[in-house]
């Protein structure tokens, strides 16, 4: 099976060669999610660096749909569990190729070099922007320490900066989720896979959701900044992969998964739009529901491509199988790592030039977004792509 598989920044590309199907839609989902994260940060840049009194109500309402970048990160996490689980569920012994240590070395080689390169690049940009930053409100309103404080630097070096709010959004805000993803990688072979082998999909998913919920309730929200509930999303992705590849489903069952995905996701996104504050305050309750909807969608798409390869693709899958979106997905890790450097720097310049918030938003949308994509592509071909081959 020639398959393109992805996750939050950095999944392996071709992981098996058996059935001749191409799951390019997985790359496309990652690319679309990364692009939406960029849109979310574009809006956040303007909103969180501006006096609320200067923001027109029509601007806030017209751009409100961009305010849910966390949902895109959730999609990344489900995709991660899905893609890392596929080679396991399709292997004869249901083991990680080469064992747990080899798996971790592969993950480290794929994720860490681009991460550290982006970290160094971010620190260099911050140093060059010293004068531009003076007197400008911080992008992340609750940050209390500087980018070059020892705790901030060391926590980013060891990928534990997601554990404290004072560290999490410093240097390059989006990097917090890379740390969360990295930590989940260790739970995959140590806990979730053994549970799946011994007790099945349901046990692994239930354990992931339970483990991810415990810190929220026992630690009185002190670890919420790290989003430990993402463990459950990763487990849902694992479960979706197991169900997608263990056996072929009948047309009726495939259709039911599609209906479940549509109902759950539409209801979830509708609820988020209507009750944004409730969504932000109840991640443990809401995130697994969204994760289940995404997992159901993955099962539907993969089963359709496996069982109906000679039939016309549904419109949604056809769009996600397009070469342009697949290409965007191939460089999505780079886009995720560097886009905020471009948008943040451009906005600082526009603020110093005396531009209004709405004008700054328009300039960044027209010029900043393409520039960020171009910078991400350059980062991708010069750095990330060197670490994408499997060893």
């Amino acid at each position: 099976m020639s398959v393109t598989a992805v996750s939050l920044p950095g999944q392996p590309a071709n992981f098996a060669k058996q059935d001749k199907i191409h799951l390019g839609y997985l790359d496309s989902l990652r690319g679309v999610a990364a692009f939406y994260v960029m849109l979310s940060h574009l809006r956040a840049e303007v909103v969180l660096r501006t006096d609320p009194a200067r923001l027109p109500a029509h601007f806030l309402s017209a751009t409100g749909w961009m305010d849910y970048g966390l949902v895109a990160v959730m999609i990344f996490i489900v995709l991660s569990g899905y893609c890392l689980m596929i080679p396991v569920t399709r292997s004869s012994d249901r083991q990680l190729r080469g064992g747990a240590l080899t798996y971790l070395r592969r993950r480290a080689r794929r994720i860490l070099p681009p991460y550290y390169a982006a970290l160094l690049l971010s620190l260099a940009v911050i140093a060059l922007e010293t004068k531009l930053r003076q007197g400008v409100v911080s992008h992340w309103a609750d940050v209390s320490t500087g980018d070059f404080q020892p705790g901030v630097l060391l926590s980013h070096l060891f990928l534990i900066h997601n554990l404290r709010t004072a560290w999490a959004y410093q240097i390059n805000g989006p990097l917090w989720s890379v740390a969360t993803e990295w930590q989940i990688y260790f739970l995959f072979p140590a806990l979730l896979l053994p549970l799946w082998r011994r007790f099945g999909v349901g046990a692994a998913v239930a354990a992931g959701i339970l483990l991810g919920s415990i810190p929220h309730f026992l630690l009185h929200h002190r670890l919420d900044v790290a989003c430990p509930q993402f463990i459950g999303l990763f487990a849902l992705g694992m479960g979706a992969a197991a169900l997608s590849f263990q056996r072929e489903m009948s047309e009726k069952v495939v259709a039911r998964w599609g209906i479940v995905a549509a109902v759950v996701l539409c209801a979830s996104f509708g609820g988020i739009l209507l009750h944004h504050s409730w969504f932000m305050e109840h991640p443990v309750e809401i995130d697994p529901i969204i994760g289940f909807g995404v997992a159901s969608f993955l099962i539907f798409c993969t089963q359709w491509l496996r069982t109906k390869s000679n039939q016309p693709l549904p419109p949604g899958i056809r769009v996600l199988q397009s070469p342009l979106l697949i290409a965007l997905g191939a460089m999505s890790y780079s886009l995720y790592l560097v886009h905020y450097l471009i948008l943040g720097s451009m906005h600082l310049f526009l603020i110093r030039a005396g531009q209004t918030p709405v004008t700054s938003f328009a300039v960044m949308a027209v010029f900043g977004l393409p520039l960020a994509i171009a910078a991400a592509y350059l980062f991708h071909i010069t750095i990330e792509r060197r670490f994408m081959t499997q060893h």
Side-chain angles (χ1 to χ4, degrees):
M1 175 177 72
S2 178
V3 181
T4 304
V6 297
S7 75
L8 171 129
Q11 283 302 328
N14 296 323
F15 53 77
K17 294 182 179 178
Q18 297 174 22
D19 304 330
K20 290 185 178 180
I21 64 170
H22 183 67
L23 301 183
Y25 82 91
L26 296 172
D27 282 303
S28 295
L29 281 176
R30 187 178 68 169
V32 170
F35 187 82
Y36 180 80
V37 167
M38 184 167 62
L39 292 179
S40 178
H41 289 152
L42 168 63
R43 183 182 190 271
E45 252 302 300
V46 174
V47 171
L48 296 181
R49 283 197 193 272
T50 305
D51 180 353
R54 297 183 61 208
L55 291 171
H58 68 270
F59 168 80
L60 293 174
S61 60
T63 60
W65 61 273
M66 298 180 181
D67 199 25
Y68 305 97
L70 188 62
V71 175
V73 178
M74 292 161 56
I75 294 173
F76 285 141
I77 299 296
V78 177
L79 282 169
S80 180
Y82 190 85
C83 294
L84 290 175
M85 185 64 176
I86 291 175
V88 178
T89 195
R90 290 178 64 79
S91 66
S92 58
D93 58 1
R94 306 206 301 178
Q95 300 290 327
L96 287 164
R97 178 170 58 88
L101 290 179
T102 301
Y103 148 79
L104 289 172
R105 282 197 294 268
R106 289 196 300 267
R107 290 289 81 208
R109 185 178 189 276
R110 180 65 182 91
I111 296 297
L112 297 185
Y115 166 82
Y116 286 124
L119 188 62
L120 289 174
L121 180 62
S122 302
L123 290 170
V125 169
I126 292 168
L128 292 172
E129 290 177 350
T130 301
K131 291 186 177 180
L132 284 176
R133 288 170 171 257
Q134 290 176 356
V136 177
V137 176
S138 173
H139 173 80
W140 304 102
D142 51 4
V143 168
S144 59
T145 61
D147 292 306
F148 290 94
Q149 292 291 325
V152 173
L153 293 174
L154 289 173
S155 63
H156 278 75
L157 178 64
F158 293 106
L159 281 92
I160 57 171
H161 55 282
N162 61 326
L163 301 180
R164 286 188 60 190
T165 302
W167 301 335
Y169 307 123
Q170 291 286 1
I171 302 179
N172 185 340
L175 298 187
W176 72 266
S177 62
V178 180
T180 295
E181 173 91 356
W182 175 248
Q183 291 153 17
I184 293 175
Y185 284 159
F186 291 86
L187 291 175
F188 180 49
L191 175 67
L192 298 176
L193 272 182
L195 284 173
W196 168 70
R197 294 191 195 100
R198 182 70 181 272
F199 301 107
V201 169
V205 171
I209 293 175
L210 178 62
L211 183 62
S213 303
I214 289 174
H216 178 78
F217 296 106
L218 294 188
L219 300 180
H220 306 288
H221 303 200
R222 283 196 291 270
L223 270 184
D224 281 7
V225 63
C227 293
Q229 71 274 9
F230 283 3
I231 300 169
L233 301 184
F234 186 94
L236 282 164
M238 287 177 54
L243 293 175
S244 294
F245 287 93
Q246 283 181 343
R247 63 182 183 278
E248 291 187 0
M249 301 176 183
S250 67
E251 290 190 11
K252 287 184 178 180
V253 174
V254 174
R256 286 171 188 165
W257 280 111
I259 293 171
V260 168
V263 170
V264 172
L265 292 176
C266 287
S268 299
F269 295 151
I272 290 171
L273 292 172
L274 292 174
H275 303 285
H276 174 66
S277 59
W278 197 89
F279 161 71
M280 297 301 294
E281 294 167 4
H282 297 81
V284 173
E285 295 89 342
I286 296 297
D287 290 11
I289 297 174
I290 297 175
F292 176 70
V294 175
S296 301
F297 180 71
L298 298 180
I299 294 171
F300 168 72
C301 291
T302 297
Q303 280 288 324
W304 183 285
L305 291 169
R306 291 187 71 197
T307 60
K308 301 185 178 183
S309 57
N310 296 325
Q311 297 185 27
L313 296 174
I317 301 180
R318 190 183 311 124
V319 170
L320 290 175
Q321 290 282 96
S322 68
L324 181 62
L325 288 181
I326 292 173
L328 181 64
M331 55 173 276
S332 59
Y333 188 23
S334 294
L335 184 61
Y336 192 85
L337 291 174
V338 306
H339 74 273
Y340 182 64
L341 300 180
I342 303 298
L343 296 179
S345 299
M346 181 175 287
H347 193 213
L348 286 172
F349 178 81
L350 291 168
I351 291 173
R352 288 302 184 189
Q355 299 301 314
T356 66
V358 175
T359 300
S360 297
F361 179 89
V363 171
M364 287 191 290
V366 173
F367 299 103
L369 295 180
L371 185 59
I373 293 174
Y377 179 71
L378 181 62
F379 186 92
H380 171 72
I381 61 174
T382 57
I383 297 176
E384 182 194 1
R385 198 159 63 182
R386 298 171 181 269
F387 302 97
M388 292 179 71
T389 56
Q390 298 300 296
H391 293 281

